[in-house]
Amino acid sequence: MKMIELVERFPAQMTEAMEIGRNATLAPHSSPIRNVFVTGMGGSGIGANFTAAFSADELKVPFEVGKGYSIPKFVNKFTLAIVSSYSGNTEETLACFEQLVPTGAKIVVISSGGKAIARAKELGVDHIVVPSGWPAPRACLGFSIVSQLLVLQKMKLISAKPVRQLEAAIAFLTKEQNDLRTKGEKLAGFLAGKIPVIYTTDRMDAVALRFRQQVNENAKSLGWYGVIPEMNHNELVGWKEKTDQLAVVYLRNKDDFARNAVRMDINKKMIAPLAPVTEVFSKGKNFIERALYFVFLGDFTTCFLCDLRGYDSMEIVAIDYLKTELAKV
């Protein structure tokens, strides 16, 4: 199966995840939840970044995402700890899972199977099993976001509103799919032969991070991203010399904070003489729809960019090699 085919199934995947998540039963926890910690890597970990962003307007406790081998010291019986690994065999995530067990945290595992689900069953902790058989965790973002957001709702940390907005976003993306595919192909042409640089505002940090990750894995290219206003205090100074190696994409929203919108206009004016610059405005009635609009666009764009670069978007030889070498140690 080609990556573009997996990308096209994004709305349908979220619909399936919604049904699975709503039917999941979570046992009550003996202590009140005072913080949330999610452990996950790569395509499984990025879902937590979106969950944090989508719940930010309602969540009244801290939400931290861990992408490594260890958990923070604050994790205790007052923590909701989500273990996110599509394969269920991610070594960093499994290491964190074991560290979570003695803390007394409320643990919920989200996975398609593997060691994570086996261990969850052994320990008797809550788990949500998503469909297996998807050949690339990065194509399973829908399972991750939907499941995690529903866990927050079931634990009464957020209302049903973000989930309803997410459900409405599925219909919205389905309607916009053909147009997004066309825009993605055009944007890939703009980025062809260049190193992509993605800029957006701080509230869309997860979107830009996801776009950069898809540039890496789908298009087999280096790239980077920055968020405004933070990059105005450092990275902007690095734009000194004209270059034909880079191409800049601004991801914008009509409701961007006014001062950030002004900053983006000024940034564009400063950078345009040095490298090709384009901007894309999102569509959508709310933050969730606009963020997922950009996710869908980025996924399409990076698949087409990979075709232009002459690679197989499914191939992850570098990661496979790394895992083989790690297994020897």
Side-chain angles (χ1 to χ4, degrees):
M1 182 175 288
K2 295 182 178 180
M3 180 58 67
I4 192 76
E5 296 172 312
L6 299 179
V7 168
E8 289 168 344
R9 293 168 63 185
F10 182 48
Q13 181 188 108
M14 287 195 289
T15 299
E16 187 174 9
M18 195 70 72
E19 182 178 359
I20 294 169
R22 282 195 163 131
N23 290 331
T25 301
L26 302 183
H29 191 50
S30 57
S31 301
I33 299 301
R34 296 177 181 167
N35 53 72
V36 179
F37 173 69
V38 183
T39 173
M41 304 297 299
S44 298
I46 187 64
N49 294 79
F50 281 98
T51 303
F54 291 171
S55 61
D57 288 342
E58 293 198 0
L59 197 61
K60 295 180 180 179
V61 299
F63 187 120
E64 182 165 327
V65 183
K67 299 184 179 183
Y69 285 96
S70 59
I71 66 173
K73 294 296 183 183
F74 69 72
V75 174
N76 56 27
K77 65 179 182 179
F78 301 110
T79 302
L80 168 62
I82 299 176
V83 177
S84 177
S85 169
Y86 178 72
S87 69
N89 297 315
T90 311
E91 71 169 62
E92 301 97 321
T93 308
L94 290 173
C96 288
F97 189 0
E98 291 305 317
Q99 294 168 53
L100 290 169
V101 174
T103 66
K106 169 65 178 177
I107 301 173
V108 181
V109 178
I110 300 172
S111 177
S112 68
K115 295 177 182 178
I117 293 299
R119 185 67 169 134
K121 291 179 178 178
E122 179 184 336
L123 294 168
V125 303
D126 288 331
H127 51 279
I128 297 175
V129 181
V130 298
S132 60
W134 287 68
R138 65 188 181 278
C140 299
L141 179 63
F143 289 135
S144 182
I145 295 175
V146 173
S147 300
Q148 290 181 38
L149 208 59
L150 282 167
V151 167
L152 294 185
Q153 183 194 354
K154 287 175 181 290
M155 294 301 296
K156 301 187 181 346
L157 295 174
I158 60 172
S159 72
K161 182 180 177 181
V163 176
R164 287 197 301 267
Q165 290 182 339
L166 186 58
E167 196 164 32
I170 298 171
F172 167 70
L173 292 180
T174 301
K175 178 183 175 183
E176 294 291 330
Q177 182 162 340
N178 289 336
D179 185 54
L180 281 167
R181 183 187 178 103
T182 299
K183 287 182 177 178
E185 192 166 13
K186 181 179 179 180
L187 188 55
F190 170 77
L191 293 171
K194 310 290 185 181
I195 296 174
V197 181
I198 313 300
Y199 288 141
T200 190
T201 63
D202 52 336
R203 67 198 293 254
M204 286 277 176
D205 185 284
V207 169
L209 172 59
R210 165 71 174 186
F211 204 132
R212 191 268 292 166
Q213 290 177 345
Q214 294 294 78
V215 165
N216 300 153
E217 282 200 87
N218 285 349
K220 319 304 173 197
S221 172
L222 294 174
W224 80 73
Y225 84 98
V227 295
I228 292 169
E230 172 61 21
M231 66 80 66
N232 287 177
H233 295 264
N234 35 67
E235 186 171 316
L236 187 61
V237 182
W239 285 99
K240 283 288 188 184
E241 301 166 356
K242 189 176 179 63
T243 176
D244 60 359
Q245 294 181 302
L246 308 177
V248 182
V249 179
Y250 283 90
L251 302 180
R252 306 190 63 169
N253 306 275
K254 291 182 179 179
D255 68 336
D256 282 333
F257 182 67
R259 295 297 290 176
N260 280 337
V262 173
R263 284 174 179 271
M264 287 185 123
D265 289 338
I266 297 171
N267 282 198
K268 269 180 52 190
K269 186 167 64 174
M270 294 172 67
I271 295 174
L274 305 176
V277 172
T278 191
E279 64 181 8
V280 183
F281 277 86
S282 66
K283 291 184 180 180
K285 293 182 292 185
N286 54 60
F287 174 66
I288 290 178
E289 288 188 3
R290 289 189 282 272
L292 292 179
Y293 179 91
F294 279 143
V295 168
F296 216 6
L297 174 65
D299 286 4
F300 276 125
T301 298
T302 53
C303 285
F304 289 124
L305 182 57
C306 184
D307 291 342
L308 293 174
R309 287 172 52 77
Y311 292 105
D312 174 8
S313 56
M314 292 294 293
E315 172 265 304
I316 50 168
V317 172
I319 295 175
D320 290 339
Y321 173 77
L322 174 64
K323 290 181 178 179
T324 300
E325 292 300 298
L326 282 170
K328 298 176 182 178
V329 181

